[in-house]
Amino acid sequence: MKILVIGGTGLIGSKVVERLRAKGHEAIAASPSSGVNTLTGEGLDAAMVGVDTVLDLANSPVFVGPQVLEFFETAGRNLVAAEKRAGVTHHVALSVVGADRLTDSEYLRAKVAQERIVAASGIPYTIVRSTQFFEFLGGIAQSAAASGSITLPTAYIQPIASDDVADAVTAGTLGTPVNGIVEIGGPEKFPMADLVARFLRIVKDPHDVVGDANAPYFGARLQPDSLVAGQGAHLGKIDFPTWLKTSKYAQYASAA
């Protein structure tokens, strides 16, 4: 197969491209730096010549504000229009578990808008909704840091390793379009504040973490299971200590 991977040089994209090529497929890692820009449409038609499947892993450069919706809607429309011109037969997109439940989040509302564009395109599709990545724990902490402390929700989080995400996305890309949503998540769930506090202790970050059931998560108020994968979800195998050993924080793994 010939597969165009939008965002193919990012965290998940680079891993998926490697996996696809190892399986004998022609995987093209597309990004603005390679001359393919989904916002302007630049390079899309040329990149899609002979492509069977498009995998969209591109992410908005910001998480709040009107630019988020503009990014996902504009990029989504440009992609599906180019796919129709090229005769692409499968569109795969990576989204977020709970996106449709957390309408207070500008980012998640924009992801739902992206999903709707894909579903309405008429192109066979697969949407892979993932829980948060272990790799984002530091970013979650930073997003809530103020005056030396961090206040985070006590709702559950079910983090998944990027390698497990890449495996699932690769399988979805090579599989038959489901014309619906597939959910993936990590092997365990934890109260968000507790896991972030544990992570910061391990990496010797001095911030205190305060758990508050009403604390917002990127603008959204969480119910206990808002970010947890549903019944029947595909669960990854890499748990927190195992992920830590192969992450950039590996020097701290013995403390996990």
Side-chain angles (χ1 to χ4, degrees), residues 80-96:
V80 298
E83 289 169 16
K84 288 179 180 179
R85 292 192 292 270
V88 169
T89 57
H90 191 187
H91 179 111
V92 183
L94 182 61
S95 192
V96 184

Side-chain angles (χ1 to χ4, degrees), residues 178-192:
V178 302
N179 293 318
I181 295 168
V182 176
E183 287 195 344
I184 62 174
E188 301 175 86
K189 62 180 185 178
F190 314 83
M192 182 187 294

Side-chain angles (χ1 to χ4, degrees), residues 26-157:
E26 182 181 355
I28 305 164
S31 66
S33 63
S34 71
V36 180
N37 191 318
T38 56
L39 280 180
T40 64
E42 177 188 1
L44 278 178
D45 286 333
M48 286 195 192
V49 173
V51 165
D52 303 290
T53 298
V54 171
L55 170 58
D56 184 9
L57 300 172
N59 205 359
S60 169
V62 295
F63 291 87
V64 295
Q67 302 96 322
V68 187
L69 182 62
E70 181 181 357
F71 175 89
F72 284 114
E73 287 191 329
T74 302
R77 290 178 181 132
N78 285 340
L79 266 180
V80 298
E83 289 169 16
K84 288 179 180 179
R85 292 192 292 270
V88 169
T89 57
H90 191 187
H91 179 111
V92 183
L94 182 61
S95 192
V96 184
V97 164
D100 54 340
R101 299 191 289 263
L102 298 172
T103 57
D104 289 340
S105 166
E106 291 174 313
Y107 179 81
L108 295 180
R109 285 203 306 271
K111 291 298 290 182
V112 171
Q114 176 194 29
E115 292 179 3
R116 288 173 179 157
I117 289 169
V118 172
S121 68
I123 299 166
Y125 70 95
T126 301
I127 293 170
V128 180
R129 282 187 180 173
S130 174
T131 56
Q132 286 64 35
F133 306 164
F134 281 122
E135 285 82 359
F136 292 167
L137 288 175
I140 291 172
Q142 186 176 13
S143 73
S147 303
S149 67
I150 296 168
T151 302
L152 286 170
T154 54
Y156 285 102
I157 188 173

